[in-house]
Amino acid sequence: STDTELIFCSLMSWVASDPKRRSLGDVDLEELSRWFAELNAHGSLTSVLTDGRDLCVYADRNGDGEAFLSQIAPPYPRM
């Protein structure tokens, strides 16, 4: 398995550990930020995760690895 796989599985297990949370969108943003900060304390971490419904982007707190945001909307004349 890869580090990314482990992070995703760990996050989904953590989300599922509370019956009130059924997706990433149900997670308190402060809690999610703390969860990522704990992982980031062990090394650089920039991550984009989705559970198929919600999207989470975390950019390394020390700027080690960048996250870029763009919007693609139809029609798609050129990509």
Side-chain angles (χ1 to χ4, degrees), residues 4 7 36 45-49 56-60 67:
T4 304
I7 290 169
F36 272 110
L45 174 67
T46 296
S47 183
V48 177
L49 300 170
C56 172
V57 179
Y58 178 85
D60 186 88

Side-chain angles (χ1 to χ4, degrees), residues 31-69:
E31 284 184 68
L32 187 58
S33 180
R34 281 192 298 274
W35 187 88
F36 272 110
E38 287 176 23
L39 282 177
N40 201 177
H42 298 285
S44 62
L45 174 67
T46 296
S47 183
V48 177
L49 300 170
T50 183
D51 60 7
R53 179 178 158 190
D54 298 296
L55 178 69
C56 172
V57 179
Y58 178 85
D60 186 88
R61 68 166 51 170
N62 300 310
D64 189 12
E66 299 172 330
F68 297 94
L69 180 64

